[in-house]
Amino acid sequence: AGASTGADPGASPTPPQAVYHVYADMKVVKAFKGDGGPRRLQSLLESLLAPAAGTDCGSSDSGTADAPARGGSGCGDEWDPPSGKDAKAGCERVFGNRRRGVFWPKMPCLRCGCPWWAGEDWDAACLRCGWDCEADGYDDDSNPLPKFKARHAAFVEVLREGRTPAWAGVQPPPRAQRR
């Protein structure tokens, strides 16, 4: 969110009117003018930051690996796919403990559904659960093996909605990254 006076130096001598902008992905998505702007801006920000009705952001048992299509809790998650211009395969993000993740939406982890991998190499592990797809899961052409096709389709569908499937497993300790 940002604010400006909206005044043009060569304009008439009327008092400047404040303009409040809300940005998402470097684009103005909402603008408020006048004295009610701060109140309306605060109300909008509170509604955006509040959890959706009926969700429990503190719960860690919102889904399992056996129920991939359930999706996240609606609370926003560090594992969710990027949005805007960054929502493409190969983009990178730094996670907790300074771990670098590479986004692969068409090759999610077949254990937990996470699209973030510890690197671009075939032997990279899933950042969320530590699973390695090299041994079992995908064939040499990056297609899921027959026993994983249904799970893969469910995970990819949830990722297309802009969420990462919920997973109640335990996150592994960070692995040393290969360079």
Side-chain angles (χ1 to χ4, degrees), residues 21-83:
H21 293 154
V22 178
Y23 294 86
D25 293 324
M26 299 176 57
K27 295 178 184 172
V28 176
V29 293
K30 197 78 170 167
F32 300 107
K33 295 181 182 178
D35 296 334
R39 179 182 39 76
R40 292 171 57 200
L41 178 63
Q42 181 179 6
S43 174
L44 174 69
L45 292 175
E46 286 172 355
S47 69
L48 291 173
L49 296 175
T55 62
D56 181 12
C57 292
S59 174
S60 63
D61 61 344
S62 59
T64 65
D66 295 329
R70 287 162 88 179
S73 64
C75 302
D77 189 18
E78 74 172 324
W79 305 112
D80 283 346
S83 60

Side-chain angles (χ1 to χ4, degrees), residues 5-179:
T5 61
D8 180 14
S12 65
T14 59
Q17 186 177 33
V19 178
Y20 300 88
H21 293 154
V22 178
Y23 294 86
D25 293 324
M26 299 176 57
K27 295 178 184 172
V28 176
V29 293
K30 197 78 170 167
F32 300 107
K33 295 181 182 178
D35 296 334
R39 179 182 39 76
R40 292 171 57 200
L41 178 63
Q42 181 179 6
S43 174
L44 174 69
L45 292 175
E46 286 172 355
S47 69
L48 291 173
L49 296 175
T55 62
D56 181 12
C57 292
S59 174
S60 63
D61 61 344
S62 59
T64 65
D66 295 329
R70 287 162 88 179
S73 64
C75 302
D77 189 18
E78 74 172 324
W79 305 112
D80 283 346
S83 60
K85 65 181 180 174
D86 293 328
K88 58 186 172 195
C91 83
E92 297 181 5
R93 179 188 290 172
V94 177
F95 291 87
N97 295 335
R98 296 184 357 219
R99 294 183 302 163
R100 180 183 69 93
V102 181
F103 179 63
W104 298 112
K106 293 183 181 177
M107 282 188 65
C109 172
L110 296 173
R111 179 192 285 167
C112 72
C114 183
W116 295 98
W117 296 89
E120 297 178 20
D121 297 329
W122 184 244
D123 63 348
C126 171
L127 279 183
R128 181 160 72 170
C129 74
W131 185 70
D132 180 359
C133 70
E134 183 179 27
D136 191 25
Y138 290 99
D139 64 17
D140 292 338
D141 295 323
S142 301
N143 295 315
L145 295 175
K147 68 180 182 180
F148 291 110
K149 283 189 187 254
R151 177 174 281 203
H152 176 269
F155 284 153
V156 169
E157 184 61 34
V158 173
L159 290 169
R160 280 191 189 125
E161 295 172 4
R163 306 177 282 127
T164 295
W167 184 64
V170 177
Q171 186 174 351
R175 282 182 16 173
Q177 291 192 5
R178 300 176 196 144
R179 296 244 176 211

